[in-house]
Every structure is written in C-alpha cells, then in structure tokens.
Amino acid sequence: MELLLIFIAAIFVNNIVFSQFLGICPFLGVSKKIDTALGMSAAVAFVLTLATIVTYLIQKFVLDAFELQYLQTITFILVIASLVQMLEIVLKKISPSLYQALGVFLPLITTNCAVLGVAILVIQKDYDLLTGVVYAFATALGFGLALVLFAGIREQMSLVNIPKGMRGTPIALIVAGLLAMAFMGFSGVVKV
C-alpha cells in the first residue's frame, strides 16, 4: 500500500514540475508539440529510472562504504551524463526522427535538474532500492504527464488569437501556473 501511495503522490501531488519546480527548462522548451513531448517524456523516464538505480547502488556500495558522501553530487552528475550519452547514441541508431525532433534538448537531459534532484531525493528520503525505483518511475510519469498536458494546451493555443504582448513565453507561464494550481487540487487526495 505504501508503494501505491508513493506512486500516486509522485505523479499528482508532488509533481516534479508543478510542486517542486524541477525540470522547468525541458518543460518550457520541448512542450510545443505533443509528439516531441512524448519522446522527451520517454527519454527522461528511461534516464531517470536507470539513473536512480545506478546512483543508489553507487551511493550505498561505494560512497557510503568508503565514507565519500561529499562526492555524491559530482558522482551523480557523471552517472547521469554517461546515461544520457548512451541514450543519445541509441536514439540516433534506432529513431533518427525522434533524435532530430529532440535536437538540443536531448543533451540537456544531462543538466535536467529533475533527474539529479530525484536521484538525490531517493537518498535523502532513505528509500530502499525498490521504493526508490517506484518513486523515480512515478516521478518520470508525472513529468511526462505535465509535459504532454502542457504541449496539448500549447498546440491548442497556437490556433487561438492571443494578444500580441501575451504571445510566446508570457502566456506559456500563465498556463503553467494554472496547471500547477490544478494539480494542487490533488493534494487532499493522498497524504504522503
């Protein structure tokens, strides 16, 4: 039951974008088309889940074992960068169209604070490996949900006559704020 609560809370209540304000750069940058948002969501989900597993194991069996906790941030960044590089090579071979669509945002997963933030939060919350993986995957789903919802709204906004001064980033930030308020409505559903 606890895993289910963590899963639901990570997606809706403690959404990484709307509640913790992590991953805003790709959220605003890749959210103009739904298909690109779906591709970015899948890439972030893969990297986030795999990075959490690898960083957890490194933390427990290397950093904690040799009392090198002060190297946590730099170690996690190196692990995430390596995983993103691996993903970039695989996407270039398997799906060149998705690789082209993601463009500069694929390497930016390396610096996506959501990936590093979740890896560190799993350690800070003292989750075991299974709970950490569930939390990471649910967080990735929450990120993907936010990204796809926002992309759908932005696609619809491109069909509407928006006043000149509000076009682009201003209206996008207003919509993001409204979505964040909508997600706040889930806070009474799950207590974590």
Side-chain angles (χ1 to χ4, degrees):
M1 187 66 173
E2 182 184 343
L3 287 178
L4 181 63
L5 288 176
I6 288 172
F7 187 81
I8 292 170
I11 294 173
F12 298 110
V13 180
N14 299 322
N15 187 286
I16 197 86
V17 175
F18 298 131
S19 173
Q20 299 175 14
F21 305 111
L22 296 173
I24 298 296
C25 178
F27 175 72
L28 292 173
V30 185
S31 61
K32 292 181 182 164
K33 294 184 178 183
I34 291 178
D35 54 341
T36 307
L38 285 169
M40 181 61 137
S41 299
V44 168
F46 175 76
V47 171
L48 196 82
T49 306
L50 193 59
T52 300
I53 294 168
V54 174
T55 55
Y56 179 89
L57 294 173
I58 288 173
Q59 179 72 36
K60 295 300 178 192
F61 296 113
V62 177
L63 299 179
D64 288 349
F66 296 106
E67 296 182 7
L68 298 171
Q69 291 88 349
Y70 60 92
L71 292 174
Q72 180 188 57
T73 304
I74 191 72
T75 304
F76 286 12
I77 289 171
L78 290 172
V79 167
I80 292 165
S82 301
L83 291 173
V84 170
Q85 186 64 39
M86 181 180 71
L87 177 65
E88 193 171 356
I89 292 168
V90 169
L91 273 181
K92 199 172 190 178
K93 295 268 188 204
I94 293 175
S95 179
S97 60
L98 180 59
Y99 176 78
Q100 289 292 345
L102 291 175
V104 71
F105 293 103
L106 188 58
L108 286 179
I109 294 176
T110 304
T111 58
N112 185 345
C113 55
V115 179
L116 179 60
V118 169
I120 291 173
L121 281 171
V122 166
I123 302 302
Q124 285 179 347
K125 292 181 181 210
D126 200 29
Y127 287 152
D128 59 18
L129 183 58
L130 176 63
T131 307
V133 170
V134 167
Y135 174 74
F137 184 69
T139 300
L141 289 179
F143 177 81
L145 176 65
L147 196 61
V148 171
L149 280 174
F150 194 54
I153 292 171
R154 286 183 81 177
E155 278 188 2
Q156 290 298 314
M157 284 191 320
S158 69
L159 304 173
V160 177
N161 188 17
I162 297 172
K164 188 175 182 181
M166 294 298 292
R167 290 184 189 147
T169 305
I171 194 69
L173 291 174
I174 290 170
V175 169
L178 291 171
L179 275 172
M181 287 174 46
F183 270 70
M184 281 178 48
F186 292 114
S187 63
V189 176
V190 177
K191 300 284 185 202
V192 174

